[in-house]
Amino acid sequence: MGIRFIIMVNKQGQTRLAQYYEWLTLEERRALEGEIVRKCLARTDHQCSFVDHRNYKIVYRRYASLFFMVGVDGDECELDIMFHLEKAHFMLEEMVMNGCIVETSKANILSPIQLMDKAH
Amino acid sequence: MEQLKTIGRELAMGSQGGFGQSKEFLDLVKSIGEARSKAEEDRIVLSEIDILKRKLLEPDIPKRKMKEYIIRLVYIEMLGHDASFGYIHAVKMTHDDNLLLKRTGYLAVTLFLNEDHDLIILIVNTIQKDLRSDNYLVVCAALNAICRLINEETIPAVLPQVVDLLNHQKEAVRKKAIMALHRFHRKSPSSVSHLVSNFRKRLCDNDPGVMGATLCPLFDLISEDVASYKDLVSSFVSILKQVTERRLPKSYDYHQMPAPFIQIKLLKIMALLGSGDKSASEIMYMVLGDLFRKCDSSTNIGNAILYECICCISCIIPSPKLLEAAADAISKFLKSDSHNLKYMGIDGLGRLIKISPDIAEQHQLAVIDCLEDPDDTLKRKTFELLYKMTKSSNVEVIVDRMIDYMISINDNHYKTEIASRCVELAEQFAPSNQWFIQIMNKVFEHAGDLVNIKVAHNLMRLIAEGFGEDDDDADSKLRLSAVESYLQIISEPKLPSLFLQVISWVLGEYGTADGKYSASYISGKLCDVADAYSSDETVKGYAVSALMKIYAFEIASGRKVDVLPECQSLIEELLASHSTDLQQRAYELQALLALDARAVESILPLDASCEDIEVDKDLSFLNGYIQQAIESGAQPYISERERSGMLETTDYHSQDHHEVPSHALRFEAYERPKPSSVPTQASTELVPVPEPSYYSEAHQPISTSSVSERESSEIKLRLDGVKQKWGRPSYQSSTSASSTPPQAANGTSSHPDVGVGSSSLKPRSSYESKKPEIDPEKQRLAASLFGGSSTSRSDRKSSSGGHKPAKGTANKPPKENPIPVQPPPDLLDFGEPTATSVTATDPFTELEGLMDYSSQDGGSTDVMGLYSDAAPVTTTTSVDSLLSELSDSSKGNPGTYQSQTSKGPNSKEALEKDALVRQMGVNPTSQNPTLFKDLLG
């Protein structure tokens, strides 16, 4: 199953990062995120990390104050993402392309981004 | 995790410096972060939109500033507002020479635009330029953008360059070029069909990242055309082997697991290649076995790989060893406390059950726990499993459960799905028509607006056709029970439209059929329906047609018809209805009331909904009338062809003009009239209407009955199969009885309240240690789900038939009383013979008991011993003897068996078939317990 989107949401249900691998209009995205977030936030920690929503299966994981939706788990401070939204996106772009996981080596993911910073 | 820590560090490092970010931006982020509600967030974003609209108009915005504005635009869109006013600035930024700005531009564009957006054309040129760049990071940025922005038309513009880049010296570029090609293949397979060999080539790339990326397109290609890639089986297996041997760089490790995502992708590909291919599967046995042995089931990622192995094994043709290893992994998942693992266990069970149907029985209690778990996701997954394992022996329990669940949820998407599954299972496995109707009633009552209209037609047809055999008595009983159930339901508020249609139709056809209910009672009910759902024209139409039938049957049988005042007022109301259809029906009803018995009988014969309608398309019966008319000076009929070109609107009857004031002439054909909307008077006068079919229908006796009858006869129903299914003996006799191990007496007596079905004993092996107290309710459910003949079935049997197998339950009579609601299943069919004479030689029972005893005795080591002790006879012979026992005992004990055979499904044939099935299912397991040890050992 391909990845259709990756969303990061905080505990209040506000979107903090979103990448879609299929095109949805702004309204569709808005509605989708609202519904998913409502479903996931209502779940307790000991329930399983999968939620069915329409034709999507959402795999989510809560880490600290953030919900990573679609199997991206991690250790992230919400503010770091907020202040460096583009960087978080760049990393995601290294990891996931065409809805497929293409790179999982942290060295390979980070090196282009670090190089870009250096050149800057 | 470590990886994301690193990434998090990377992000955090930037934020400490905070370089280049204006106070405005920091404040924006801060206020969004502190927003306590969506409304507050919206307010902040809306004011931000105003600010940015102004700022973006300023001249000479410094680049760094512009980058920040673009990020702020990204925020606006991410939080659900339109930022299209700033798109063009993002497009411009892609032209920038500075890499960071360029990439930010590309990022924003890929987030804002879809591939068909007009602005894309402004970027293609930039992409082309960037693909030629000396800086490989620029090339990567362009390739990233290609994966998001290039559509079918623009592929040729960049394709040659992308192909060149497949051999770029930098692995990052090769990787992204592969993914760009992958994207082209998805968008337009023909555009790259000559290039697919590149994917094979890149699979051998020195860089593991490129190799790993290549698996993505290869997976797509192989799922489209497995045969062309069979030669790669050993390559994939060898790659997987090397990955598990830690040949990849450490940086791919995740929780000490080497490159798990690459492993998972490889397993997925192997599942495709090994499906239905014995020799390909065999190549994989070794590495799969290794994986089962090596996988660390204490980490999520280890379990993820185990799960993927299970999926792979359920697709390929597995060895018995692997099957056992998969079953073992599943049972570990199911026993876990983690809901994620349980979920995977249920999912894996659903996959494995296809190739190894017996496997679910070992886990019945775990499955039931999941079914009753408050976690909705787990519950649904379990329903999916139950759906896959439904058979005639457990259909009642499963469908009842599904319906209860269906009633309890609000999610229409899932409600529709589960309703259609209930219908499907009921149609396929229903033990009786009565039950089928009950189930359909429930589905209609609670999800009537969501189910397919065909389901309603199907039900009406079933009620009309009955059992299909020449058993009129049974048919009328069925109809009466349907009528009775509908009369009960009909006054409930807010029934779905579709259900009311069915109710009205059935009440009309059969409401008064056997004289139990008077015509005025039924017609009163129908009027109530029409009144209560006055805005639903379809329901009203059905109700009026039903009324018409009721009155017609009364007239035809020579009784005087008293039209109730409320019916009278309904008819009057509909005579002036805005709906021509309703008006039509009302006029017909009115006309019918004035006819004599003979005429009425030929218009609406009793219970004729299943009769074939023969259409005399030539209208030959009119010949005499026409001849007469011509002789008396009428114009001869001019055929439609002769008339073409001189069509006059007056040719059409003005029957529609009440409702459709025609503002202009209509020259196109009118839509095909509804059969029932033919004015009654039309049948008595000749009007040259150029619609032959229209006419012939009007003259058919049944034409006045509702549209649905017509439709239902057109729709291809699955009922034929259903009938066969129901008529045929089914498997219900199976497990619970046959699984009664003779030793069960001990087990049962020590747990008097779990002696429901002997099969319910088995899971104790896995559960006893954790949960000594098992809810007897669950035990019963388990017995009915997994144990073949269901509890409820036997309840029904015992209450109706009044028989109890004398010997089968001999050792548990006291248990009947403590649980008056659901007495223990009498283990019919199989129980008695097993208990009487086959006990010692029945290998199945021994086998079923294996799990129990091994763990009850505290040692799994004597599994084989137990087996060989208890089953000294070879399987085949014992089955034979079992069968002969069965037939003997069924002859010898007419009291016990006759009542079952008379019900249909419980005949000897079913037992025999079932015995065979069991034999086949059992054989492999009986051989394997030690093999598995080899595998692990």
Side-chain angles (χ1 to χ4, degrees), chain B residues 486-503:
Chain B
Y486 292 154
L487 286 173
Q488 258 171 30
I489 295 171
I490 200 169
S491 32
E492 290 193 10
K494 286 192 187 155
L495 292 173
S497 171
L498 200 55
F499 192 30
L500 288 163
Q501 294 166 29
V502 175
I503 292 179

Side-chain angles (χ1 to χ4, degrees), chain B residues 271-511:
Chain B
L272 294 174
L273 288 167
S275 168
D277 183 338
K278 186 92 205 280
S279 58
S281 299
E282 276 166 358
I283 304 175
M284 305 168 186
Y285 288 170
M286 177 88 95
V287 72
L288 287 171
D290 282 353
L291 277 175
F292 273 116
R293 245 177 323 118
K294 279 186 192 165
C295 263
D296 172 13
S297 59
S298 67
T299 61
N300 275 338
I301 197 69
N303 286 319
I305 290 181
L306 277 178
Y307 167 78
E308 208 54 57
C309 287
I310 294 169
C311 296
C312 180
I313 281 166
S314 68
C315 288
I316 67 172
I317 300 177
S319 69
K321 258 196 235 174
L322 285 177
L323 205 53
E324 195 123 347
D328 196 54
I330 286 176
S331 94
K332 274 190 199 141
F333 286 161
L334 286 171
K335 283 174 204 160
S336 154
D337 287 331
S338 151
H339 275 59
N340 287 336
L341 294 186
K342 281 187 186 175
Y343 179 92
M344 296 201 310
I346 295 281
D347 183 275
L349 208 51
R351 291 169 190 270
L352 224 55
I353 210 169
K354 280 180 279 178
I355 45 175
S356 171
D358 288 341
I359 183 185
E361 283 175 31
Q362 307 163 22
H363 303 297
Q364 32 186 299
L365 279 199
V367 171
I368 286 164
D369 276 346
C370 293
L371 192 61
E372 288 172 354
D373 199 281
D375 185 343
D376 224 33
T377 307
L378 199 52
K379 203 177 258 190
R380 286 182 192 187
K381 197 77 198 168
T382 314
F383 273 117
E384 215 170 276
L385 171 69
L386 291 184
Y387 167 77
K388 284 180 193 159
M389 53 178 260
T390 306
K391 47 191 175 183
S392 41
S393 60
N394 56 18
V395 63
E396 291 167 84
V397 190
I398 289 179
V399 173
D400 278 352
R401 283 259 157 176
M402 282 185 166
I403 285 180
D404 286 348
Y405 183 61
M406 182 189 82
I407 294 169
S408 74
I409 56 174
N410 296 319
D411 175 350
N412 273 355
H413 184 78
Y414 195 64
K415 210 170 193 160
T416 312
E417 191 181 313
I418 203 159
S420 70
R421 284 187 165 180
C422 285
V423 172
E424 189 190 326
L425 293 177
E427 284 181 355
Q428 214 176 335
F429 297 112
S432 71
N433 283 0
Q434 252 91 1
W435 180 83
F436 181 76
I437 288 173
Q438 276 171 19
I439 293 301
M440 289 301 110
N441 286 354
K442 282 188 195 157
V443 171
F444 279 122
E445 193 176 343
H446 299 286
D449 294 326
L450 304 171
V451 297
N452 192 308
I453 194 164
K454 283 179 189 173
V455 175
H457 297 157
N458 204 344
L459 178 60
M460 288 190 272
R461 184 172 159 148
L462 175 84
I463 294 172
E465 289 185 342
F467 288 83
E469 294 142 20
D470 290 326
D471 188 352
D472 289 342
D473 192 41
D475 285 358
S476 58
K477 262 190 202 144
L478 171 75
R479 289 167 190 161
L480 182 62
S481 79
V483 168
E484 276 171 346
S485 68
Y486 292 154
L487 286 173
Q488 258 171 30
I489 295 171
I490 200 169
S491 32
E492 290 193 10
K494 286 192 187 155
L495 292 173
S497 171
L498 200 55
F499 192 30
L500 288 163
Q501 294 166 29
V502 175
I503 292 179
S504 303
W505 187 85
V506 171
L507 289 184
E509 283 287 328
Y510 305 111

